[in-house]
Amino acid sequence: NGRATYRIATIPGDGIGVDVTAEAVGVLDAVLPGIEWTEFDWSCENYLRTGAMMPADAPGQLAGFDAILLGAVGFPGVPDHISLWGLLIPLRRAFGQYVNLRPVRLLPGTESALRDRTAEDLDILIVRENSEGEYSAIGGMHHPGRTDEFVRQESIFTRVGCERIIRYAFERALERDGRLCSATKSNGLLHSMPYWDSIFERIASEYPQVETRQLHVDALAAEIVLHPDRLDVIVGSNLFGDILSDLAAAVTGGLGLAPSGNINPERTAPSMFEAVHGSAPDIAGQGIANPVAQILAGAMLLEHLGEHAAAAAVDRAVCDVLREGRIRTPDLGGTATTGELGSAIAHRAAQLV
Ligand code: NAI
Ligand code: MG
């Protein structure tokens, strides 16, 4: 595409988010020179200093960028609901990023919980609803302090919200193996999930080429571990998609390898790319975080911008370096630092473009 340069915002955030984002920037620079990066220091540290995770006009400041690369937000000392609702969730919603795309693959050379499986057996795309569902601010506490106190937490499933995410998943299934599994729990959730299922069935009738299944989310969790080869694309609500993708990441080589994209499919606002993992306070500041998840998030970013060759080079470079196996961070059983693994991938990627 005719664009000479891209303007990309980074929000490194907290903990290892800062280190892994630096490596992803290095790899993207290696495959696509000339990106104009702008860093925003919005984080828990910023919250402690200013009383806000990010300024009120943050969406306005980010709106003109081609894409956003986000590290992770959240750190001990600031409650998690403040960091999540103060930055991540408002940005996802302000920019209409209603798709959370989470590819899960068994990368070459990585030790999986599913040891006898190969890359062909485990290549799943999780499409998570990213703007409504169970993650809702509606509810509240009643009779606080009394013995009969209780809280209510309501879920919101709109027709538009369900239709657009399910249709998006069918489109992705058409591009892949043509199989789509919907995560439901209509036996327990008496209103939301039967509604989700009815919309899924209606849209399925528009896609006779796609083979569909609807599994209860608990059975689907077991299926990811026991029969990952039966799965291609999975679509789930906000909560179900979140849990299934952590599980799926854990049965491959762990959270250090799993990327994610918050996508605005209509491209009316920037999409935002991040690793599935958080800020990992237990290993923060040690220089040993695995940068692969964030580097693969960078590859998804390039793919979204239409830079297919550069994205493919990053993906190949990650696979080559992991397969070769000499440079591994401690989570993969090695002794390399974040910077050593990141540089090795950047170096290999530069040879491939
Ligand atoms: P976490 O993903 O930060 O860490 C879970 C475990 O995985 C830890 O033992 C950690 O060391 C390990 N791990 C994660 N990423 C790794 C990497 N790249 N390399 C090697 N090991 C890695 O999840 P946790 O501990 O539940 O949350 C920590 C903080 O991060 C919390 O404040 C949470 O709210 C926040 N968080 C933010 C997210 C975001 O910004 N999207 C997502 C998830 C959590
Ligand atoms: Mg999560």
Side-chain angles (χ1 to χ4, degrees), residues 171-185:
E171 292 293 329
R172 298 290 77 72
L174 278 183
E175 294 166 4
R176 292 172 50 108
D177 279 354
R179 291 176 287 144
L180 176 62
C181 182
S182 166
T184 183
K185 193 65 192 171

Side-chain angles (χ1 to χ4, degrees), residues 3 11 23 41 59 83 115-116 183 231 249 264 310:
R3 292 288 301 269
I11 309 172
E23 299 309 319
D41 69 347
S83 41
R115 252 153 241 186
D116 333 320
L231 295 162
N264 172 324

Side-chain angles (χ1 to χ4, degrees), residues 16 72-75 80 88 255-256 274 276-283 289-290 331:
I16 67 165
V73 286
F75 217 70
D80 281 347
L88 200 53
L255 280 175
E274 54 171 332
V276 168
H277 65 71
S279 61
D282 55 332
I283 58 163
N290 187 339
D331 60 306

Side-chain angles (χ1 to χ4, degrees), residues 102 128 242 246 276:
R102 297 187 157 184
R128 168 190 173 193
D242 194 11
D246 267 35
V276 168

Side-chain angles (χ1 to χ4, degrees), residues 4-10 19-38 66-70 259-260 271-274 291-318 341-353:
T5 147
Y6 294 102
R7 294 181 63 236
I8 302 178
T10 63
D19 313 75
V20 299
T21 300
E23 299 309 319
V25 168
V27 172
L28 265 56
D29 279 337
V31 292
L32 198 69
I35 294 174
E36 194 187 301
W37 300 96
T38 306
D66 293 307
I68 303 161
L69 185 65
L70 173 77
S260 130
S271 292
M272 182 163 74
F273 300 83
E274 54 171 332
V292 164
Q294 188 75 338
I295 291 168
L296 290 175
M300 291 176 76
L301 183 156
L302 293 174
E303 186 68 40
H304 180 77
L305 294 178
E307 297 291 343
H308 306 297
V314 174
D315 204 272
R316 253 298 289 288
V318 166
L341 182 52
S343 302
I345 293 167
H347 183 74
R348 178 76 187 121
Q351 297 170 335
L352 292 169
V353 280

